[in-house]
Amino acid sequence: MTFRLPLYNRVALLMAMAAAIAAVVLPFLGFAPNRLLSGRPVPLWAAVQGPGGLAILPGLVLLATPFLRPTRIGLGLTVAAGGLFAAGLVWLAGHHATELAQGASAAARTSFASGFWVMAAAGLLTAVDAARWMGLGAVGRLAVGGAVAGLVALQLATGHLDALSILKEYANRRDVFADAVLRHAMLVAAALVPTLLVGIPLGVAAHRFQAVGRAVFPVLNVVQTVPSIALFGLLMAPLAALGALLPGSGISGVGPLPAVIALTLYSLLPIVRNTAVGLDGVPAPVREAARGMGLTPRQIFLRVDLPLALPVFLSGLRITVVQAVGLAAVAALIGAGGLGAIMFQGLFANALDLVLLGAVPVILLAVAGDALLSIGIAAATSHIGLSPGRNAP
Amino acid sequence: MIDFERVSKRFGSWTAVDTVSFTVAEGEFRVLIGPSGSGKSTVLRMINRLIPADEGAIRIDGEDIASLRPEELRRRMGYVIQSVGLFPHWTVERNIATVPALLGWPKARIRDRVTELLELLNLDPRRYRTAYPHQLSGGQQQRVGVARALAAEPRILLMDEPFSALDPITRASLQSELSAIHRRTGTTVVFVTHDMDEALRLGDSIAVMDHGRLIQCATPLEILTRPASPLVRDLVGREEWGLKRLAVETAGDRARPQERVGGEPLPSETPLHRALSEMVSRGAERLPVVDGDGQPAGVLHLSDLVRPAPDRAA
Amino acid sequence: MTVAGMAPREFLTDRLMLGLVALVALVLGMPSLKPLFATLYPGLDRPLYEAESFVRLTLDHMALVSLSSLAAILLGGGAGIAVTRPWGREFRGLLETVATMGQTFPPVAVLALAVPVMGFGPEPALIALTLYALLPVVENTVAGLDGVSPAVLDSARGLGMGPAEVLFKVELPLAAPVILAGVRTAVIINVGTAAIASTVGAKTLGLPIIVGLNGSNQAYVIQGALIVAALAVVIDAGFDRMAGWLTRWSRR
């Protein structure tokens, strides 16, 4: 008698297979006597020996998820298994790094290796996909992501991960790191203020007068095309010249000023464009009805145009924020500081953990900004139906 | 109540409205009809000053509307357009409450009024009060649109092809509801359409426009029987003229009041073309007619449809 | 429209032609600007970047961008086609999620993360650029194929076309403008990221900029920045031209 497993979720099967292969073939961690030597690979089977191995028990559930019925319970279990597997891998890495650190010199380093990344990604993607199948909205999916992030944050806070190389690197540079995060966020915020002050009125003007759009968009498009590093470079010379002309003004070709100027120039396009497109998208009959009922132009703008254009505007803001977080990292090359400075310092000094310490928080900042604004967009859209255009004939 | 005195409007070199004069009486249902580009919508939109007149005077109750603030003027009138234009980010209740809220009505009064209007337009308040426009069908959206226009009890209701985008069944039921609302409230209605059947069915009087000029302004019966120009005759159409002619009068108009006969009775407001249809389908040459209270109002004879009985000649 | 068929005035106002002329002039003529930079920056011993020729750097830059973009078009286009077929539909949500989430990762961070995995040199740059370019290509391939009207597909099948014919003769040509827009996004991002890739050991047009920034040599920075900027603008104008052809032909 043969028994055939019913396969319900081919995505989960693919992910489970990827994780299983990575678990066997790829190194889970890398262990090096110090930060300059390249490490020896630590396979997963070496790390799971002992009671600590229980942490990746959700991985066994993950192997079973392809065969779970896609009911709410089955999918919920899949989401939980994927998320807990990823968090469990982090826990196991921290746990095993601590074990390896005993009996090794203080300079010894344990870092995540490719097997960890593949397995963690497989777990997270399984969870995300199952969450989609469950019909969770943007906010629900963010909650799942937040829960996994919370589990990892908890391990960070309790010091469980302190033996990992990226955290050793962090411990060495605690003050610099905190300053860098703050500086990074400040650069983005400093660019956002002039962007919004100029971009929103410009967007409104481009919506009202075609000529404004025809004049502004080609210029902003070209700016967007110019690579960031080139724009930083091209801003250096005129700013340096200006600084020489006005001694004591604090203007200089390097540092945060050219960074903020360049970031602002890049940020303008999504803001101006989405403000204009959002306003263009307000259905003409809605405006006509508002006028016909006796709303004043001001009331029409505030009560009709603004709320209806808000979702499109917010997605422009989301693009701007995500883009600016990345560009601010590049700005470290012209001395603007921030997380990019740590990242490039690592690259120039061939210190890979330092690269991680700079690059990972940059990604986290971008993802966090994206997530926050997604919630805002979901809230702003929830009342409008699928799109503001739905009410048009 | 509404007076147009030699009103003109030009857009560039194109004359949209050319020295038009007319009067709409208090409580009248006036239909503006004409081919596209005839200026009928422009005339309507000049009444609430969405389009300012170039020349001439428009008066409401003798007051020149140019002397009023446009927003104030508009809040005193209801306005319904073909594409409805409900605010997609507001609930049905808040949409309907737009003008009362602008006028600063107390909350409780607004709430009661919304309930009343939803019931008037056959929308269950419990179900639809908190719905959003995208959750409604096209017909329901336009019901809300009409309710919104009526919310602040306007004395004038302006409607620009309000039912043109709806399917025939929904259109017919909204037409009869509008008729009933007009009869009940006595609101003055100015209604733009390009559909002569709708005009004949709804209007107390019909103004035909072409190339910015007013061609004829008369009762439906007159439009049918004495068209002032070939255009008006074309609008009415030669096909089924007889049925259209019948449609502008009701069973009550032609019933012989003294007679009685058995059978399922017709309501007296049934248009005559429907009555004819009933006779054909029942194979009857005489049908009893009842009035609004269900009391016998006489008998309609098939021969009276062709020619009114001598004592009831129109 | 060919160059030969262009009226002289048209040629002079054409963004692509002007940009191309400027780019070639900058790349070939930069050495002859040495006296100018020497005058502008009298304090510099070496006012011209001469470690590598600008021709070499430009060609290497373009090679890195072309290779990664080509790989991304093949892989991303293939994946986009696969998940819009009936047998691949299950993977569509996953792919879209990855494409959307991945694009929130800043390209420079992706580039930096390739180093711990791959080491220094052009390889991590190639991998990082390919990975990043995949995302807009996938996203737009799926969106473009999705946008083909069901009525058109229906009639194509009704005419007796097989799945492959429908894909190559109907779906891909109709989706081409949208797919091209994704490729354009990917390539423009890659031109910029390839410049930054000089920090991970790829010799590209970013090299003079990085060397100039580290050694406080503003002349190097300007030389590199001018050429990269011109290259990006020319490529963008080229895509503009292609989009024009495609849309004219598909009448969108």
Side-chain angles (χ1 to χ4, degrees), chain A:
Chain A
M1 195 173 84
T2 56
F3 173 71
R4 278 185 56 192
L5 274 175
L7 175 63
Y8 292 110
N9 190 338
R10 288 202 287 158
V11 173
L13 181 68
L14 179 75
M15 291 298 134
M17 275 162 55
I21 292 171
V24 176
V25 176
L26 295 176
F28 178 56
L29 297 170
F31 178 73
N34 62 54
R35 66 184 260 183
L36 294 178
L37 292 176
S38 54
R40 66 173 168 83
V42 179
L44 184 66
W45 60 262
V48 292
Q49 287 169 14
L54 290 176
I56 59 157
L57 215 55
L60 295 178
V61 181
L62 201 64
L63 290 176
T65 53
F67 312 103
L68 292 178
R69 276 178 185 284
T71 56
R72 259 194 109 65
I73 294 173
L75 289 170
L77 198 62
T78 308
V79 171
L84 289 175
F85 178 56
L89 284 171
V90 175
W91 189 90
L92 183 66
H95 179 72
H96 195 61
T98 314
E99 284 180 353
L100 288 169
Q102 292 160 0
S105 80
R109 298 281 165 144
T110 309
S111 48
F112 297 119
S114 50
F116 168 83
W117 294 116
V118 173
M119 285 188 282
L124 287 176
L125 288 175
T126 308
V128 166
D129 194 59
R132 270 179 69 108
W133 277 106
M134 278 177 84
L136 288 185
V139 177
R141 296 211 295 273
L142 285 170
V144 171
V148 176
L151 286 176
V152 175
L154 196 67
Q155 300 177 39
L156 277 173
T158 54
H160 175 75
L161 305 177
D162 283 354
L164 284 163
S165 61
I166 182 169
L167 282 148
K168 285 196 170 175
E169 206 64 66
Y170 165 70
N172 289 342
R173 290 163 200 273
R174 194 167 299 224
D175 301 339
V176 181
F177 182 80
D179 282 351
V181 173
L182 195 65
R183 178 74 170 251
H184 207 100
M186 293 287 280
L187 280 174
V188 174
L192 274 183
V193 173
T195 300
L196 294 177
L197 285 180
V198 177
I200 294 177
L202 216 51
V204 174
H207 159 68
R208 295 214 170 139
F209 313 104
Q210 282 201 336
V212 174
R214 271 200 301 272
V216 167
F217 286 121
V219 176
L220 292 181
N221 272 319
V222 169
V223 170
Q224 200 76 27
T225 306
V226 173
S228 53
I229 192 171
L231 188 60
F232 289 134
L234 292 175
L235 280 174
M236 264 177 97
L239 284 173
L242 196 63
L245 274 177
L246 305 166
S249 63
I251 296 175
S252 148
V254 292
L257 182 68
V260 169
I261 293 177
L263 255 59
T264 305
L265 288 174
Y266 283 118
S267 303
L268 275 173
L269 180 66
I271 293 293
V272 176
R273 184 187 53 204
N274 283 41
T275 305
V277 170
L279 290 171
D280 290 347
V282 176
V286 172
R287 263 198 208 108
E288 153 126 15
R291 227 155 68 84
M293 276 187 294
L295 273 74
T296 62
R298 195 185 144 82
Q299 285 168 332
I300 294 175
F301 187 73
L302 292 178
R303 299 188 192 182
V304 179
D305 287 345
L306 273 193
L308 288 180
L310 192 63
V312 181
F313 169 79
L314 284 180
S315 35
L317 186 61
R318 174 165 80 163
I319 295 169
T320 293
V321 167
V322 168
Q323 180 178 266
V325 168
L327 291 171
V330 180
L333 288 172
I334 55 163
L339 289 162
I342 297 180
M343 192 176 82
F344 285 119
Q345 199 186 343
L347 285 175
F348 292 139
N350 196 9
L352 300 182
D353 291 323
L354 207 51
V355 175
L356 281 183
L357 188 64
V360 171
V362 169
I363 292 177
L364 291 180
L365 268 185
V367 170
D370 184 71
L372 278 180
L373 283 162
S374 306
I375 295 175
I377 293 168
T381 322
S382 58
H383 287 171
I384 303 181
L386 289 180
S387 76
R390 273 292 292 275
N391 208 31

Side-chain angles (χ1 to χ4, degrees), chain C:
Chain C
M1 197 190 302
T2 60
V3 176
M6 250 183 205
R9 173 167 304 193
E10 224 174 311
F11 183 82
L12 282 178
T13 54
D14 184 66
R15 191 160 72 99
L16 178 59
M17 285 305 145
L18 281 181
L20 211 52
V21 169
L23 176 65
V24 172
L26 278 173
V27 172
L28 296 178
M30 196 61 86
S32 46
L33 291 179
K34 190 171 180 178
L36 173 67
F37 284 106
T39 326
L40 279 175
Y41 296 100
L44 293 176
D45 291 340
R46 293 178 188 172
L48 183 72
Y49 184 81
E50 284 167 320
E52 278 90 10
S53 79
F54 285 106
V55 178
R56 173 88 257 147
L57 290 176
T58 308
L59 290 178
D60 284 358
H61 197 112
M62 286 167 66
L64 183 58
V65 173
S66 325
L67 273 180
S68 58
S69 305
L70 208 64
I73 291 169
L74 291 176
L75 292 172
I81 291 171
V83 299
T84 48
R85 303 304 101 187
W87 42 268
R89 199 163 286 156
E90 270 175 80
F91 291 89
R92 178 174 167 163
L94 181 73
L95 195 70
E96 281 180 326
T97 308
V98 171
T100 320
M101 276 180 19
Q103 285 184 78
T104 59
F105 289 23
V108 65
V110 175
L111 183 71
L113 286 181
V115 172
V117 183
M118 306 276 305
F120 282 86
E123 294 84 4
L126 190 61
I127 296 295
L129 261 62
T130 304
L131 282 180
Y132 205 83
L134 271 173
L135 308 172
V137 174
V138 163
E139 197 170 46
N140 282 41
T141 305
V142 173
L145 292 173
D146 231 24
V148 178
S149 99
V152 170
L153 293 182
D154 225 37
S155 60
R157 287 191 203 108
L159 290 170
M161 288 191 187
E165 283 167 320
V166 173
L167 176 64
F168 287 104
K169 292 189 179 168
V170 180
E171 292 189 78
L172 284 179
L174 285 177
V178 183
I179 299 176
L180 184 76
V183 173
R184 177 182 186 163
T185 308
V187 170
I188 294 300
I189 291 174
N190 271 0
V191 171
T193 315
I196 304 169
S198 290
T199 58
V200 304
K203 285 194 176 170
T204 65
L205 286 167
L207 200 55
I209 306 180
I210 306 293
V211 172
L213 286 170
N214 283 344
S216 302
N217 187 325
Q218 249 184 55
Y220 286 8
V221 175
I222 292 175
Q223 289 152 18
L226 277 177
I227 297 180
V228 180
L231 181 65
V233 170
V234 166
I235 291 178
D236 191 59
F239 273 106
D240 220 34
R241 180 64 50 85
M242 277 205 273
W245 288 337
L246 274 190
T247 42
R248 194 173 315 161
W249 159 63
S250 71
R251 296 184 189 280
R252 278 255 178 125

